[in-house]
Amino acid sequence: MQSIAVKCLGVILKKVQEAQVGEISDKLCSLILDGKDELRDIYSIGLKTLLKDVPAEMGASVCDRLTKRLLSGVAQDLKIEVKLEALDNLTDLLKRFGADVARDHAAVLEVVLGQLKAGKAVVRKRSAGCLAALSLFASEALLEQLFQTLLARIAE
């Protein structure tokens, strides 16, 4: 049943007002961060669908609602599944709306760089993908900070 709802989401997003899109994104993000473990992947697919299909003119408001919350999911250490889904969705958000979250680029860089030291290889790999998506839209100063940090870690 949930998978059918996710398929309908792409169509619904083109028909509803911006306020409803915001409510949908809030709810899906909350369910990823705090919902039932066995349904987290469905919620994540729903948010990925939203990020892929939301009209471009609504992108900035969706990003305002999601960026900090997804970062909190990346930064937490309670459940690796939450961290992985938050990283995936943050990467998708950056790929499509990276320019719209410019004021949060420094926070994204700080939080995601911290994940490169994670014990699990899958977290490091997804963090690297997220940093790659960020690098497409980051300022020169942030790119320099990213590369200086990476080069210093390689030299260690």
Side-chain angles (χ1 to χ4, degrees):
M1 188 65 153
Q2 289 92 354
S3 61
I4 295 170
V6 168
K7 289 178 184 177
C8 295
L9 189 58
V11 176
I12 291 170
L13 291 172
K14 293 173 177 72
K15 306 282 184 195
V16 298
Q17 297 175 352
E18 192 167 343
Q20 283 87 18
V21 171
E23 290 173 21
I24 293 168
S25 65
D26 282 343
K27 185 64 175 177
L28 287 169
C29 191
S30 293
L31 291 168
I32 290 169
L33 299 176
D34 303 316
K36 295 179 181 179
D37 292 342
E38 62 272 8
L39 296 175
R40 185 169 288 114
D41 59 336
I42 295 291
Y43 304 141
S44 184
I45 292 168
L47 190 56
K48 287 175 179 293
T49 301
L50 183 141
L51 290 170
K52 183 178 73 103
D53 292 338
V54 69
E57 60 272 9
M58 295 181 193
S61 67
V62 168
C63 291
D64 286 344
R65 291 174 173 263
L66 292 177
T67 306
K68 287 180 178 51
R69 294 182 69 204
L70 289 172
L71 278 176
S72 74
V74 172
Q76 64 87 25
D77 287 324
L78 298 176
K79 294 182 180 177
I80 190 167
E81 298 83 12
V82 172
K83 184 185 298 277
L84 294 175
E85 296 300 346
L87 275 167
D88 276 351
N89 281 287
L90 184 60
T91 301
D92 289 348
L93 182 144
L94 289 168
K95 284 179 181 176
R96 176 127 190 255
F97 299 113
D100 291 329
V101 293
R103 70 174 180 268
D104 293 320
H105 284 172
V108 171
L109 181 64
E110 179 183 337
V111 170
V112 177
L113 267 176
Q115 299 305 310
L116 290 178
K117 292 184 176 181
K120 300 266 186 192
V122 67
V123 174
R124 295 191 305 269
K125 183 177 179 180
R126 291 192 190 178
S127 296
C130 190
L131 289 171
L134 174 66
S135 70
L136 296 173
F137 299 97
S139 66
E140 285 189 34
L142 279 178
L143 283 175
E144 184 168 336
Q145 181 184 348
L146 170 62
F147 288 117
Q148 293 298 328
T149 302
L150 293 176
L151 291 173
R153 288 187 183 173
I154 290 171
E156 292 176 353

